[in-house]
Structure formats: structure tokens, C-alpha cells
Amino acid sequence: MYGAGNRLPGRVGRAASSVLRLRRGERGTWAVGALAAAMLLASSLPANAATAQARPARPAAAAQTTAARDPECIQPGNARLNPRFYWRNVFGARLGEGVINESSSPNPFGGRIAPGSTFTFRWRPDTTRNPVGAQYHIHRVNLASVMAVADVVSVTGPGSFSGTTLSAQETPPQKLWDTVVTFRIRPGTEGRTATLSSADHSLTTRWLFANINNIWENTGSISFTVASRASLGCDSSSILG
């Protein structure tokens, strides 16, 4: 069309060459940018990998803390108390009755337990037959002997502590559910004995405009001894039979 090898006129040719050089520069700039982005991405990967590898160290540290605690060490017994009570009139006739349900898990009473070990004490007073006109009952158990060798870790349920006395109010016809106390045997108490007896229990019953007294039907006591871990042969986590 233009002849002479179809070359463009001078000004047009120089302009076209400038456009070509500009486009090559844009492609070069894009290539440099892409290369820089790739290098940044590659440099960030090892840091992320190192962070991911560092995270599992937290559970490992927690496991070491848990392992540092002494394992449970107890030679369980099978002693239980469960005091029964009743009310009677002046003629000797029964007006009502009930029972204090008590259990421990694992049960140290009648056995031995080492410092650092824990057990739960479940307590549930139950008036099975209320005296006519009874408004409420306040049940109490004094755990001073147990708390002389053990610390209270937690308490759940309707009962609450005032000093060493655990108490709960029962309002007929509503029933109480379990109060659960977790104890941990205190260090340095080896050789001491903790006792729970029927005499540690008390009951106040509000009847009409006065309080009436109950009678405890069974009396007795149960106990456990705090022993050293060595004497119980506890070199690892165990509950001895």
C-alpha cells in the first residue's frame, strides 16, 4: 500500500515505535510486580508454618502441669452412716420420720486416703413422712472433723456452709436434691483420723408456732485415716482395692 516494503511515513513510524516501546514497558512493569508478589507470598509461608508448629506447645505445657499433681491414692472403705430420725407425741406415737442419705465416692470412710487425693461427699436429707402441721425442716451436719484434714474444693446443690456446718432447708412437700461437696486431703495430715457421727447431725422443725424436737433412731460413727502415699504403695495413679 505504501510501497518500499510497506514502511510507514517518518512521523507515523516513529509514533508507532513509541507505542510499542510503551506497551513493552507496561508488560515489564506487570512482570516485575507479579514477581515481587510471588516473593512476598513465598517469604510469608515459613512464618505461617512456624506459627502453626508453635501452637501445639500450649497443650503440652498444660499436660506437664497436670502431670505435676499427685495422682489419686486411696484405699476405699465401705462404712456408711445414714442417720434416721422421727418425731413422736407424748403418747409415744410417731408423727413423722425420715433419713439423712449420705455417701462418698470414692469412699474413704472405713479406709485410708493419702494427702492430695480427693473424694466427693453426697448429702441429701429426706423427710419421708412429715408431721401434720410441719412448715419446714432445717437439716445440719457438722463436718469439722473432716475439714480438719481436708479442704473444700467445691459445693453444688441446695446446701451451704456456715463455718464447718453444712445446712439446707426442706419445705414440704418439696424435696431436697443432693448437695455434693468435693474434698481434697491436706498435705501434712498423715496419721490423723476424721470422724462423722450421728451426733454431728441436727434438725430443727418448725411446727405451727413453735419448734418440735426429733429423735435420732440410730447412733454411731464412721471414720477414715490419712496415710502416707508410701504406706499405701501409690507410686502411680491408683485406687487400691
Side-chain angles (χ1 to χ4, degrees), residues 58-76:
R58 294 180 180 177
Q64 291 175 359
T65 303
T66 303
R69 287 182 51 190
D70 288 334
E72 301 294 327
C73 181
I74 178 172
Q75 186 178 57

Side-chain angles (χ1 to χ4, degrees), residues 7-218:
R7 287 182 297 180
L8 296 175
R11 291 184 180 180
V12 175
R14 287 193 296 273
S17 299
S18 299
V19 170
L20 290 174
R21 284 196 299 271
L22 179 61
R23 288 180 178 176
R24 289 194 189 100
E26 290 176 350
R27 286 198 297 270
T29 303
W30 179 87
V32 171
L35 179 60
M39 292 175 65
L40 288 174
L41 179 61
S43 64
S44 67
L45 289 177
N48 293 338
T51 303
Q53 291 175 358
R55 286 174 184 168
R58 294 180 180 177
Q64 291 175 359
T65 303
T66 303
R69 287 182 51 190
D70 288 334
E72 301 294 327
C73 181
I74 178 172
Q75 186 178 57
N78 57 8
R80 298 182 67 174
L81 193 60
N82 293 344
R84 302 190 67 86
F85 58 89
Y86 66 94
W87 299 269
R88 68 183 181 186
N89 60 20
V90 294
F91 303 105
R94 289 201 176 198
L95 303 175
E97 56 197 5
V99 62
I100 309 296
N101 297 289
E102 294 171 337
S103 63
S104 298
S105 177
N107 187 11
F109 290 98
R112 298 184 297 165
I113 186 170
S117 299
T118 59
F119 70 94
T120 57
F121 175 73
R122 307 182 78 91
W123 181 70
R124 181 173 58 84
D126 182 19
T127 302
T128 54
R129 184 164 65 95
N130 283 285
V132 176
Q135 299 178 29
Y136 60 83
H137 314 287
I138 299 178
H139 301 271
R140 306 177 190 87
V141 56
N142 190 338
L143 297 170
S145 184
V146 175
M147 294 174 69
V149 300
D151 294 320
V152 175
V153 177
S154 63
V155 182
T156 59
S160 61
F161 273 100
S162 176
T164 60
T165 300
L166 179 64
S167 63
Q169 178 172 314
E170 180 185 14
T171 305
Q174 300 297 322
K175 293 287 188 179
L176 290 173
W177 64 95
D178 287 357
T179 295
V180 181
V181 184
T182 300
F183 289 103
R184 176 173 290 119
I185 303 299
R186 194 177 303 121
T189 57
E190 293 92 335
R192 299 179 63 176
T193 298
T195 303
L196 179 63
S197 70
S198 55
D200 294 323
H201 298 75
S202 61
L203 171 60
T204 299
T205 296
R206 186 68 175 179
W207 181 75
L208 297 179
F209 303 104
N211 294 334
I212 59 174
N213 296 322
N214 66 287
I215 299 171
W216 294 102
E217 188 170 5
N218 58 326

